[in-house]
Amino acid sequence: MTGTDTTKQGFMLDEAAQGVIGTPMDRPDGPLKVSGAATYAHEWNLPGTAHGVLVRATIAHGRLDHVNATSIADIDGLLGVYSGPRFLRNPAQGGAEEAPVQGVDIEYFGQPVALVVAETFEAARDGAMRIQLRMEADDSGVFDPANSPAEPQEDEALEQGDLDQAMQDAAHAIDVTYTTPGHNSAAMEPHCSIAHWQDGRLTLRGSYQMLKYNKMELADALDIDPARVRVLSPYVGGGFGSKLGLAPEALAAAIAARDLDRPVVVALSRQQVFEVVMRRSESTQRVRLAASEDGTLTGLGHSGLVSNLPGESFAEPLLQATRFLYGGQNRTLSLGLSRVNRLCAGSVRAPGEAIGMQVLENAMDELACAADIDPVELRLRNIPERHPETGIPFASRKLAQALQQGAESFGWNRRQTQTGACREGEWLIGMGMATAARVNWLSKSAARVTLKTDGTALVETDMTDIGTGTYAILTQIAAEMLGLTPGAVTTTLGDTDLPAAAGSGGSWGASSSGSSVFLACQEIRKDIARQMGCTPEDLTLKNGTAVCGNRSTPLTDLLTRDVCREATVKPDKAMKDKQSASYGAHFCEVAVNAVTGETRVRRMLGVFGAGRILNEKTARSQCIGAMTWGIGMALHEDLMFDLRDGHLTNRDLAEYHIPVNLDVPHQDVIFIEERDDDASPIQAKGLGELGICGAAAAVTNAIYNACGVRVREYPATVDKIITGLA
Amino acid sequence: MRPFAYERCATSDDALRSGAKGARFLAGGTNLLDLMKLQIETPEQLADISRIGFDSIDETADGGLRIGALVRNSDCAAHARIRRDYPVLARAILAGASGQLRNRATTGGNLCQRTRCSYFYDIAMSCNKRDPDTGCSAIDGQNRNMAILGTSPSCIATYPGDMAVALHALDAVVETEGTGGTSRRLPVRQFHRLPQDTPQKDNALEPGELITCVVLPPPVPGQQGYRKVRDRASYAFALVSIAYVIDVADGIITRADLAFGGVAHKPWHDPAIAQMLVGQRAEAGLIRAAADALLAGAQSFGDNDFKIPLMRRLVTATLSEATGVRA
Amino acid sequence: MKTRLVINGQDHEVDADTRVTLLDALRNHLNLTGTKKGCDHGQCGACTVLVNGRRINSCLSLVCSHEGDAVTTIEGIGTPDTLAPLQQAFVSHDGYQCGYCTPGQICSALAMMDEAAAGWPSAVTADLADPVTLSDAEIGERMSGNLCRCAAYSNIVDAIREVAHGDVAHGEAA
């Protein structure tokens, strides 16, 4: 095992000779995915598998007293009904490493409280729908965040200077309040687990993002030794945060499988995915901006109110990018958390910035309009020299380049300053932009690389590929470092028996797991250099051949045994000395129907600086996907709760509107060339979430430019647009 | 889904026999199976009528069309005569659902599509339509998608489909066969019904009665179209919609057959609107008055307040464009 | 209840509860797990298969109602070693990320191209009398019954356009 200092690397990826890093290589897992041959959680078809379906609570608050199994005794093939104190109230928060709240207390409508298991899915589903529960309801539930006192989040609060005075003295002052609704990750693969016990050891084939944590959470929930738990997730049908932490289906499957001594599969229905799995909290956000005549910020205030279930510590960190993105010496930040009996709030793609940047960037647009300054120019004028709170320097930051290059590529200079000035028939056309920013993290991650005597290599880690491109980039890093064609490298993921990786979350997956592979390959290079009798710096590896000076030896001749190295990357203290983040800029053109208020996004460009781009193709896909999330957040995504009992009223994909194909125009992505030495050994930063941060604001800023309607209550559905139309 | 017996019918006689014994008819299944999985519908017996015929579109003696009840939505929308002579129908079908669903959904089944009200769709909620006399949760609940016209204290649900809105504008006729060998011809405008105090009944069909076809009257001159406003660009139910057949001669409106979706328990057709418009010179004031008349009795419930101004805007713009009036 | 059907050219007999959908028959009874379950209610398109050449949501169809039908699933379109041109185009254009909606997208797109070739109009077709040209908007509308939360839509349109316009290029080898 190799711990490492991330800043001094000696041999860097750019010095390698294979020439595959960064290229838009097709995913090695692509042929399996397009032919239906990739194995997702539900698809193992283990002999003897029984089917389980979870049962929902139909009260909003209270206690489960009794599960009447005899009420469904008539069901053919019924195998068992399970409930009890180990059942998970809600999924674990990302990285929890311990079980979430367990037990029979009902804290929200739809909480899974029992499991019906039968020989067939059809029988289990019928049983789960019909089983009688005796529940004792009480009236102490709180369902409207407005009725719950906010708990101030002390570590989020900041009072610096005198914002009130700055607002009074400002040439231009903006004081606006926006609301954003709840969101669901809505990954296409519903959560599913197959639990299988053999000789006291549990194998869980699940759909999870961060396996080393999930293993601990499962072991803790069952109160067994983690060494007895193995989690397998080689293919994950999307996550976006919803599969960070262990979810109720996994624990229920494990309990039933142990009792029945046969594999049990439990998949959430789509309705259950909505009712049970993490929501992004709704928010109320007030932004105050004080600016001098030329738009330079003298003060910045951002206060937010979010919610969660009682007992959950997660409070949507929507101030995350506000802290460092723009200057202004007088600053007031605060975050409040109210307690409501709605399904658990947790991480949904880019927790924090996704909605924090959305509102901040709307407010910046309002300031640009008030001060009559071009919105791009306003941002350029407010990029701070140093962190405006802590004074630490910034690590590599390509914000200005992104803004400038984006404006030029998009044709921003064709934007009409006057709202409503551009019309094509019934459609009003407008342009908008926003800054993108997302904090960057490196997270501890391990990998094992084996260079085999036949000239192939094997990469092994319990890292996951949730669509992010992990199979591709780890293959490319190993191929680049070891001088192999990508076809000679096999990457194996998603198995907790392999070295523990960072997991897919917080955009740290690629830089963290990629760095662990890089470091393991560095060790292998040292071994080869030793055999070649040269220094690693003088060694060139290309197309399966080791070259040193004028000596050239095929690896198949050089290696007499497999060379296996494991390495771990972890963040070092020096990383805290600089503010590290990924940056970018969004540009968007919309058409708003002057009659109906319908909005169509016509063009969309994202320009991003996220350090080294490891695979231009998969990186671009991450960005267009995230930008599309911005469209959904801007225009229609909205978890709707009944304020009488907190139940979710749009709990399926017909009523919770994620963007469809026709909602999305051709999207362009530009990457700014960047190597961030402070971010990770491979000089890469987080990318998967960056594209969502600010994207929705670019859309709604364009709506304002098109028709002069400023929707401050998201989403910008037709009902809100038409109130401002002529 | 509860267990059920399944019978594959070869003829309409098979189907009617099963219907008389209480079987539910299964055609495309896109709505019934959806509801059965959630145990909103719990039939003990299904009669699969997908192979009993009634799957062609034929000319009637007077030049209209007879659309078999089991003609798939996609075939109906792609049919050359319908595209040419009844574009409002083709447009309405194409505005609904997805290509996959239209390949399964049938003419008869689509007429019987049930509401999308979220309280109807959740068996834990009180709903008079699903469980009579349990109360309506929607009136004081989340009611963004609910009706504004023809509601009752029992139910404020909407009919969610698009095709039927066009059929109401076209004044189509629904032909049925009943259990006792009886057959009926029901104007589609009398087929769907308002909730009153029996919202469990969506339409005029008797138990076991089978829709065999929908008859379109001979084509009429004029402009036709279907305009649907929804929350995303495709694959979403209507917030409001309008189906229209409008003709103007020398500035005088000679035909104004209109029907409205997303606003009531049935596709909304108000004969008074046509009476107001036909014979009058097309001008902005008249159109405004027609929109006002349409919405004069509208009642909204909070979240769906916007449907009134939205429908007013849609009606005004659509009529203005179709009659050549500058709005 | 026994149902005989032809799947990917092979005769099959499924003996299952009447409640079993075509989707669950494929996945749970025949181990053809390439067809995906995303919502089970016809709201996402992940379960799209071709029945007698037409795309449908296999989740909203009982297997017992398919006696004698010919079903094509993603497994019948191409294998990892012998990808069909559209499958290859999805790989080349990265028309997917997590891959879960992908089999449904591909089945849907193949049938959609046939529908367009047969002259079927769509909601965005300007003139119902005109022959159909698969513009990006036409592809987008016709593919809107297939949700992709990773949101590879822009790339999916690129992949379909390439194949629909007969301009089959191959991307870098994986």
Side-chain angles (χ1 to χ4, degrees):
Chain A
M1 295 272 281
T2 308
T4 184
D5 172 345
T6 56
T7 50
K8 299 180 206 61
Q9 287 315 316
F11 185 86
M12 304 298 280
L13 266 174
D14 284 326
E15 298 167 58
Q18 190 63 29
V20 295
I21 198 67
T23 62
M25 185 186 89
D26 292 345
R27 296 171 197 252
D29 44 319
L32 292 176
K33 286 179 172 175
V34 299
S35 58
T39 309
Y40 296 86
H42 197 284
E43 299 171 355
W44 297 84
N45 280 318
L46 305 180
T49 300
H51 294 259
V53 175
L54 288 166
V55 181
R56 68 198 284 237
T58 51
I59 61 169
H61 198 264
R63 209 186 137 73
L64 176 68
D65 284 341
H66 181 60
V67 179
N68 183 3
T70 59
S71 65
I72 54 167
D74 61 317
I75 286 182
D76 280 347
L78 183 70
L79 293 170
V81 175
Y82 300 90
S83 185
R86 289 205 184 280
F87 264 59
L88 305 188
R89 179 187 72 170
N90 51 260
Q93 298 288 351
E97 277 192 301
E98 59 183 18
V101 174
Q102 294 173 274
V104 294
D105 288 340
I106 296 167
E107 296 271 9
Y108 62 97
F109 201 106
Q111 181 179 327
V113 292
L115 181 77
V116 174
V117 183
E119 292 287 353
T120 67
F121 166 64
E122 291 74 20
R125 179 179 56 187
D126 184 25
M129 296 290 281
R130 285 203 281 128
I131 194 164
Q132 290 171 5
L133 305 178
R134 194 167 73 232
M135 294 169 286
E136 193 181 330
D138 63 45
D139 57 6
S140 62
V142 177
F143 310 112
D144 185 346
N147 294 340
S148 164
E151 299 169 5
Q153 304 297 292
E154 304 293 352
D155 50 354
E156 295 276 348
L158 173 80
E159 280 290 347
Q160 177 179 308
D162 187 341
L163 179 61
D164 290 336
Q165 191 62 48
M167 291 289 285
Q168 275 183 31
D169 297 343
H172 306 288
I174 294 292
D175 183 350
V176 286
T177 298
Y178 281 71
T179 61
T180 65
H183 300 135
N184 185 278
S185 289
M188 294 310 300
E189 180 200 20
H191 296 59
C192 175
S193 290
I194 303 174
H196 189 196
W197 293 82
Q198 290 161 299
D199 305 323
R201 194 161 188 248
L202 170 63
T203 302
L204 190 95
R205 291 168 171 86
S207 186
Y208 284 102
Q209 296 179 223
M210 301 208 297
L211 303 193
K212 71 180 175 193
Y213 302 105
N214 306 132
K215 171 179 159 169
M216 300 297 287
E217 290 150 6
L218 183 55
D220 185 38
L222 290 164
D223 197 17
I224 62 172
D225 181 351
R228 289 167 58 199
V229 176
R230 182 186 187 190
V231 179
L232 296 173
S233 297
Y235 293 96
V236 179
F240 316 112
S242 73
K243 296 168 181 171
L244 287 175
L246 192 78
E249 96 291 336
L251 195 272
I255 289 172
R258 183 162 58 183
D259 181 63
L260 295 169
D261 195 22
R262 58 192 283 193
V264 172
V265 59
V266 180
L268 298 187
S269 70
R270 178 55 63 182
Q271 289 81 359
Q272 288 171 334
V273 172
F274 276 99
E275 281 194 327
V276 171
V277 181
M278 301 301 186
R279 64 184 166 95
R280 189 199 300 282
S281 174
E282 74 294 325
S283 75
T284 301
Q285 300 181 49
R286 179 186 182 198
V287 176
R288 283 174 288 172
L289 299 173
S292 62
E293 196 59 52
D294 68 355
T296 305
L297 288 171
T298 55
L300 189 159
H302 195 168
S303 62
L305 178 64
V306 297
S307 71
N308 210 338
L309 273 171
E312 293 295 314
S313 59
F314 181 89
E316 178 83 18
L318 52 82
L319 304 172
Q320 212 151 240
T322 306
R323 297 192 172 283
F324 61 84
L325 185 58
Y326 298 125
Q329 60 274 35
N330 301 291
R331 302 172 84 86
T332 299
L333 304 180
S334 67
L335 183 67
L337 177 65
S338 61
R339 298 296 180 180
V340 292
N341 296 99
R342 297 179 176 181
L343 72 121
C344 191
S347 294
V348 176
R349 199 174 192 174
E353 287 92 329
I355 56 172
M357 288 285 300
Q358 179 178 3
V359 172
L360 179 64
E361 289 301 294
N362 283 140
M364 285 294 280
D365 199 63
E366 298 210 38
L367 175 60
C369 292
D372 196 20
I373 297 172
D374 180 87
V376 174
E377 181 58 32
L378 178 69
R379 275 123 177 131
L380 288 169
R381 287 180 193 172
N382 283 293
I383 298 174
E385 293 263 322
R386 289 170 104 55
H387 192 298
E389 292 176 19
T390 65
I392 62 171
F394 285 92
S396 177
R397 178 178 51 166
K398 299 293 184 188
L399 175 55
Q401 292 91 327
L403 289 163
Q404 287 159 338
Q405 192 167 341
E408 187 181 330
S409 299
F410 196 71
W412 181 251
N413 57 4
R414 296 199 301 272
R415 171 178 176 268
Q416 305 281 329
T417 313
Q418 180 68 33
T419 62
C422 183
R423 184 166 182 143
E424 296 175 11
E426 265 184 13
W427 295 91
L428 298 160
I429 316 300
M431 288 190 205
M433 59 78 55
T435 293
R438 171 71 173 156
V439 289
N440 178 63
W441 291 291
L442 190 73
S443 184
K444 184 181 174 186
S445 199
R448 180 166 64 229
V449 179
T450 307
L451 179 61
K452 298 183 178 178
T453 55
D454 65 0
T456 66
L458 177 64
V459 176
E460 297 172 295
T461 166
D462 85 348
M463 184 62 192
T464 49
D465 187 333
I466 61 173
T468 39
T470 313
Y471 282 107
I473 59 152
L474 297 190
T475 297
Q476 281 170 285
I477 291 167
E480 187 68 45
M481 290 293 287
L482 301 177
L484 302 175
T485 61
V489 179
T490 300
T491 297
T492 302
L493 304 176
D495 179 350
T496 53
D497 281 359
L498 301 177
S504 301
S507 294
W508 57 62
S511 59
S512 303
S513 70
S515 291
S516 67
V517 171
F518 168 82
L519 294 173
C521 290
Q522 272 196 337
E523 295 304 309
I524 294 175
R525 289 182 61 91
K526 286 179 193 164
D527 293 333
I528 297 171
R530 210 172 296 124
Q531 282 187 257
M532 289 291 287
C534 66
T535 65
E537 288 72 29
D538 292 334
L539 174 71
T540 299
L541 294 175
K542 191 173 181 185
N543 292 331
T545 299
V547 179
C548 191
N550 54 8
R551 287 176 298 123
S552 166
T553 310
L555 290 174
T556 48
D557 293 347
L558 187 70
L559 299 176
T560 53
R561 57 183 178 78
D562 293 352
V563 183
C564 178
R565 290 290 181 164
E566 188 171 325
T568 301
V569 68
K570 39 194 165 194
D572 66 29
K573 290 194 189 73
M575 296 180 78
K576 293 197 170 160
D577 296 340
K578 292 182 181 175
Q579 175 62 42
S580 182
S582 299
Y583 296 89
H586 293 282
F587 293 84
C588 179
E589 179 180 301
V590 302
V592 179
N593 190 285
V595 173
T596 62
E598 293 162 289
T599 297
R600 300 284 181 263
V601 178
R602 307 213 307 184
R603 290 198 299 138
M604 205 172 194
L605 166 69
V607 186
F608 303 108
R612 178 194 299 282
I613 298 303
L614 300 164
N615 177 319
E616 196 275 335
K617 182 175 290 190
T618 57
R620 182 178 172 279
S621 289
Q622 286 282 288
C623 294
I624 65 170
M627 288 153 64
T628 302
W629 278 55
I631 295 175
M633 288 165 60
L635 299 184
H636 37 236
E637 290 191 39
D638 183 359
L639 289 177
M640 297 182 186
F641 294 90
D642 189 318
L643 293 179
R644 298 169 297 185
D645 58 11
H647 92 273
L648 184 61
T649 63
N650 56 344
R651 57 190 185 118
D652 64 27
L653 291 170
E655 309 299 335
Y656 181 85
H657 292 127
I658 70 170
V660 297
N661 197 312
L662 193 63
D663 285 307
V664 183
H666 177 77
Q667 293 165 316
D668 289 311
V669 173
I670 296 171
F671 292 114
I672 306 278
E673 190 75 12
E674 183 182 15
R675 302 282 185 270
D676 190 335
D677 293 334
D678 298 306
S680 63
I682 56 174
Q683 302 157 298
K685 291 189 281 197
L687 180 66
E689 297 168 311
L690 176 62
I692 190 175
C693 304
V699 176
T700 46
N701 290 342
I703 289 174
Y704 177 76
N705 181 244
C707 66
V709 179
R710 187 73 79 179
V711 176
R712 297 195 182 93
E713 183 190 344
Y714 277 98
T717 41
V718 296
D719 44 322
K720 296 162 197 161
I721 301 275
I722 60 169
T723 59
L725 292 175
Chain B
M1 227 180 254
R2 304 270 182 93
F4 57 84
Y6 170 88
E7 183 196 0
R8 198 175 289 135
C9 300
T11 65
S12 59
D13 287 345
D14 288 350
L16 289 167
R17 259 194 305 276
S18 295
K21 287 184 281 187
R24 288 290 302 275
F25 299 130
L26 173 70
T30 50
N31 191 207
L32 182 57
L33 297 179
D34 168 35
L35 295 166
M36 286 170 63
K37 286 181 182 187
L38 299 168
Q39 301 208 355
I40 296 160
E41 298 270 16
T42 55
E44 292 175 359
Q45 198 183 346
L46 284 188
D48 183 347
I49 59 170
S50 59
R51 293 159 203 246
I52 64 168
F54 302 106
D55 55 357
S56 63
I57 300 177
D58 304 298
E59 292 212 16
T60 57
D62 61 2
L65 288 180
R66 174 176 275 105
I67 305 168
L70 290 155
V71 170
R72 306 286 177 183
N73 277 179
S74 50
D75 289 314
C76 190
H79 191 270
R81 277 282 319 270
I82 288 174
R83 282 154 69 180
R84 190 188 72 194
D85 294 334
Y86 307 94
V88 61
L89 179 56
R91 289 286 182 199
I93 291 172
L94 294 171
S98 67
Q100 290 94 314
L101 289 165
R102 295 193 294 269
N103 275 337
R104 288 296 288 174
T106 62
T107 309
N110 201 194
L111 280 174
C112 301
Q113 186 176 4
R114 308 210 67 189
T115 186
R116 290 293 315 178
C117 172
S118 77
Y119 298 93
F120 173 75
Y121 256 83
D122 186 341
I123 58 171
M125 298 293 137
S126 301
C127 171
N128 291 320
K129 180 179 278 297
R130 194 184 59 246
D131 297 310
D133 303 321
T134 55
C136 172
S137 306
I139 290 175
D140 295 320
Q142 263 288 347
N143 51 46
R144 185 166 182 270
N145 284 346
M146 302 300 163
I148 53 172
L149 292 167
T151 56
S152 78
S154 293
C155 183
I156 61 171
T158 58
Y159 170 81
D162 296 294
M163 179 196 79
V165 183
L167 293 177
H168 278 244
L170 290 168
D171 200 13
V173 172
V174 181
E175 294 188 355
T176 69
E177 288 181 15
T179 51
T182 55
S183 57
R184 284 207 287 173
R185 299 188 85 245
L186 273 166
V188 72
R189 293 172 185 169
Q190 293 167 29
F191 177 84
H192 294 103
R193 62 187 296 282
L194 290 177
Q196 300 168 323
D197 56 0
T198 51
Q200 67 272 25
K201 277 181 70 68
D202 292 343
N203 54 54
L205 285 178
E206 298 295 333
E209 189 174 5
L210 179 70
I211 300 174
T212 56
C213 60
V214 171
V215 178
L216 303 182
V220 295
Q223 289 192 54
Q224 299 186 16
Y226 184 73
R227 193 156 174 192
K228 174 176 178 178
V229 183
R230 43 185 158 177
D231 278 325
R232 63 183 174 192
S234 185
Y235 204 16
F237 291 97
L239 295 168
V240 299
S241 70
I242 176 169
Y244 61 91
V245 181
I246 292 174
D247 201 19
V248 181
D250 300 327
I252 305 297
I253 298 171
T254 57
R255 177 177 294 275
D257 297 333
L258 310 174
F260 306 91
V263 289
H265 192 260
K266 62 177 189 177
W268 190 259
H269 170 80
D270 183 347
I273 305 300
Q275 279 172 21
M276 272 183 77
L277 293 168
V278 172
Q280 302 297 311
R281 178 159 298 279
E283 49 93 15
L286 177 71
I287 288 168
R288 271 199 307 275
D292 287 343
L294 171 74
L295 296 163
Q299 181 192 1
S300 59
F301 300 88
D303 300 326
N304 70 346
D305 292 350
F306 73 97
K307 283 192 175 185
I308 296 174
L310 180 60
M311 185 53 109
R312 178 173 282 112
R313 298 175 72 89
L314 183 67
V315 171
T316 307
T318 303
L319 292 184
S320 299
E321 187 178 339
T323 59
V325 170
R326 278 189 68 85
Chain C
M1 179 160 191
K2 287 182 181 170
T3 307
R4 287 164 302 161
L5 61 176
V6 180
I7 302 171
N8 301 327
Q10 292 199 323
D11 291 334
H12 286 271
E13 184 174 271
V14 179
D15 189 1
D17 191 312
T18 55
R19 292 173 290 181
V20 175
T21 60
L22 177 57
L23 173 61
D24 289 327
L26 292 169
R27 287 174 63 83
N28 296 342
H29 294 250
L30 300 167
N31 202 19
L32 288 168
T33 55
T35 307
K36 305 304 183 193
K37 182 184 284 191
C39 74
D40 220 14
H41 288 270
Q43 300 166 355
C44 79
C47 68
T48 303
V49 300
L50 311 187
V51 172
N52 303 327
R54 289 194 174 191
R55 53 176 171 162
I56 70 162
N57 301 112
S58 62
C59 72
L60 285 185
S61 207
L62 298 172
V63 69
C64 58
S65 70
H66 287 285
E67 173 74 20
D69 281 348
V71 178
T72 304
T73 69
I74 190 70
E75 289 92 346
I77 286 167
T79 67
D81 297 326
T82 58
L83 297 180
L86 185 63
Q87 290 172 311
Q88 180 59 51
F90 267 67
V91 174
S92 305
H93 289 279
D94 218 35
Y96 55 81
Q97 291 182 43
C98 79
Y100 197 77
C101 73
T102 313
Q105 298 276 358
I106 290 171
C107 287
S108 184
L110 285 171
M112 179 278 285
M113 289 190 277
D114 287 345
E115 292 168 4
W120 290 14
S122 84
V124 299
T125 307
D127 188 329
L128 293 177
D130 283 349
V132 174
T133 305
L134 282 180
S135 64
D136 285 3
E138 284 281 5
I139 294 171
E141 161 59 21
R142 291 163 191 264
M143 291 301 294
S144 280
N146 290 86
L147 304 186
C148 173
R149 186 53 155 169
C150 298
Y153 296 127
S154 190
N155 293 349
I156 289 169
V157 171
D158 288 347
I160 294 171
R161 187 201 306 112
E162 177 183 288
V163 173
H165 296 181
D167 175 28
V168 182
H170 289 274
E172 301 85 351

